[in-house]
Amino acid sequence: MALRIIFMGTPDFSVPTLTALAEAGHEIVAVYSQPPRPAGRRGLELVKSPVHQAAERLGIPVHTPVNFREDAEREAFRALKADVAVVVAYGLLLPEAILTGTRLGCYNGHASLLPRWRGAAPIQRAIMAGDAETGMMVMKMDKGLDTGPVALTARVAIDETMTAGELHDALMQEGGALMVEAMAKLEAGNLPLTPQAEEGVLYAAKIDKAETRIGFSKPAKDVHNHIRGLSPFPGAWFELPVAGKPERVKVLASALVDESAAHPAGTVLDDALAIACGKGAVRLLRLQKAGGKPLDAADFLRGTPVAPGQVLA
């Protein structure tokens, strides 16, 4: 037997789950995704989301409502007569009419170990906080923000060099397999549901542009976590004077340096981009100037010399 599933998702992160459910033999009766957005240099071209494009390749009808405020949208959802809705990074808060609009409810694939890191940016926040592990969870959705009971968990270790991009890719593959397992148990009537703990709740707020600037006055470990937690997007950055003008430079990779001597925070310590922090130092390994391509430090320095003793803003 197979479930009739409505799939709801938007970015690349959601695609492996959609594909895995289809390959498992479930009937995906419809896909919901965010509407096409302007893209390109001039923003003149409307581009369909990765999930939208994947659904079209699979021959699945796609719906792109701006919201579910209209009765007609809610009724169209219910009229699909689905057994369950699967939600992975959809990008819209779902009203109760949608949460209860299928026979078995809505199940969300969430990229954290709930109740830690509820909300929009759990992958980045876990790394920025220096967490040693995170995971994927399948949760039955309720009216709260990632507050529903948890069905299944897959844990993923975070080593000290892993970036948000690398963790994103690891979790999205775990998410597909975990959701297939959850739907098999749901179909068989033996999917466990465990209420989330009341302790340890943390919220993963959306990354604000104002917090992407690197603060070298912080301890080196915090600077390193900040850099890898924002890599590759949106990217942590500092300003470097180039031809007399400050230019923004993103740092996409770094490493901790054993440095105990006292130097003002932001001081360039050697000719391989070791930078003094409030405590300790970091080495900048991969950088990208505005409008340029990512470069390893040695290649970056060939085109943009940075002298020891210089202080980075």
Side-chain angles (χ1 to χ4, degrees), residues 162-186:
M162 182 176 274
T163 65
E166 292 165 343
L167 182 56
H168 168 282
D169 292 351
L171 288 171
M172 75 179 186
Q173 298 303 328
E174 290 283 352
L178 194 68
M179 190 61 75
V180 167
E181 181 183 353
M183 292 300 101
K185 290 179 179 293
L186 181 65

Side-chain angles (χ1 to χ4, degrees), residues 119-223:
I123 294 174
Q124 293 94 331
R125 295 296 177 189
I127 292 180
M128 291 167 75
D131 291 0
E133 73 167 353
T134 186
M136 283 298 300
M137 283 186 155
V138 174
M139 167 196 68
K140 186 170 186 181
M141 298 175 71
D142 59 18
K143 291 187 291 185
L145 178 62
D146 300 326
T147 55
V150 172
L152 296 177
T153 301
R155 293 178 177 270
V156 173
I158 306 174
D159 68 40
E160 292 185 353
T161 64
M162 182 176 274
T163 65
E166 292 165 343
L167 182 56
H168 168 282
D169 292 351
L171 288 171
M172 75 179 186
Q173 298 303 328
E174 290 283 352
L178 194 68
M179 190 61 75
V180 167
E181 181 183 353
M183 292 300 101
K185 290 179 179 293
L186 181 65
E187 185 180 0
N190 60 3
L191 182 66
L193 290 174
T194 304
Q196 293 184 35
E198 295 182 3
E199 300 80 27
V201 175
L202 281 178
Y203 286 93
K206 184 178 179 180
I207 303 297
D208 189 288
K209 289 182 180 179
E211 63 182 309
T212 57
R213 186 168 190 157
I214 299 171
F216 289 111
S217 61
K218 296 178 180 179
K221 189 170 184 179
D222 292 346
V223 173

